[in-house]
């Protein structure tokens, strides 16, 4: 018996992003579709950007999670259109980022507030953070540095 697509989405919601393990690949919004094609499960994934070094690891982690749930016939495809944007981050994922100390992306191009203390007096230190998708910022209130997930 084939598992329900809703159950599969729940399993995929347990697969962490390899670069930011507090959010799942579903929270990140990169799992675009899950559907059965006969007895084969098809999962479409959209990378955050074309050169993302984590893309292969994410596909392997998805495959491992699904095989651990007994799905042997599966196909994982890369869907590059439409391109991923930070708008695809779930509200749950944004909250998890902030709880973890990473400011979630904002349309204005910078963090609304410090993810540590909530102070709005923040300054960009570098356009480049710990990964290509983040910038490095500092709070002038608590003086703590933090990553800001760049808005794409």
């Amino acid at each position: 018996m084939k598992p329900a697509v809703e159950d599969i989405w729940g399993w995929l919601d347990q697969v962490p992003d390899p670069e930011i393990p507090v959010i799942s690949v579903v929270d990140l919004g990169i799992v675009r579709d899950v559907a059965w094609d006969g007895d084969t499960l098809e999962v479409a994934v959209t990378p955050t950007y074309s050169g993302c070094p984590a893309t292969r690891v994410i596909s392997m982690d998805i495959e491992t999670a699904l095989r651990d749930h007994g799905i042997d016939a599966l196909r994982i495809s890369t869907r590059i259109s439409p391109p991923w944007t930070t708008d695809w981050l779930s509200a749950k994922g944004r909250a998890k980022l902030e709880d973890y100390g990473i400011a979630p992306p904002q349309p204005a191009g910078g963090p609304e507030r410090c993810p540590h203390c909530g102070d709005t007096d923040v300054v960009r230190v570098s356009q480049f953070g710990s990964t290509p998708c983040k910038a490095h910022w500092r709070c002038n209130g608590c003086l703590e540095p933090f990553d800001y997930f760049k808005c794409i």
Side-chain angles (χ1 to χ4, degrees):
M1 184 167 142
K2 293 188 292 191
V5 169
E6 296 81 28
D7 292 336
I8 295 166
W9 276 101
W11 299 338
L12 294 174
D13 198 28
Q14 302 303 311
V15 177
D17 175 74
E19 292 181 334
I20 309 170
V22 295
I23 61 173
S24 74
V25 293
V26 172
D27 288 332
L28 191 56
I30 61 172
V31 177
R32 300 307 306 154
D33 194 24
V34 175
W36 287 104
D37 179 19
D39 290 331
T40 300
L41 180 67
E42 294 188 348
V43 178
V45 176
T46 299
T48 55
Y49 64 98
S50 61
C52 178
T55 302
R56 289 186 60 119
V57 172
I58 290 170
S59 291
M60 287 188 314
D61 289 349
I62 288 172
E63 182 176 342
T64 298
L66 295 175
R67 291 197 188 285
D68 286 350
H69 283 90
I71 298 175
D72 294 322
L74 68 124
R75 187 172 29 247
I76 300 173
S77 61
T78 300
R79 185 180 294 171
I80 59 171
S81 180
W84 180 87
T85 78
T86 47
D87 291 341
W88 294 5
L89 276 164
S90 71
K92 183 177 72 166
R94 289 174 180 273
K96 286 180 177 179
L97 282 174
E98 193 161 21
D99 287 346
Y100 189 63
I102 299 173
Q106 300 296 325
E112 284 183 341
R113 61 184 174 269
C114 171
H116 302 297
C117 72
D119 196 315
T120 57
D121 185 9
V122 294
V123 61
R124 185 174 66 193
V125 174
S126 172
Q127 183 61 23
F128 305 99
S130 59
T131 63
C133 57
K134 293 181 241 159
H136 191 66
W137 285 66
R138 184 185 70 234
C139 176
N140 288 328
C142 68
L143 302 179
E144 289 292 325
F146 63 92
D147 273 337
Y148 165 68
F149 200 108
K150 295 176 189 170
C151 188
I152 299 175

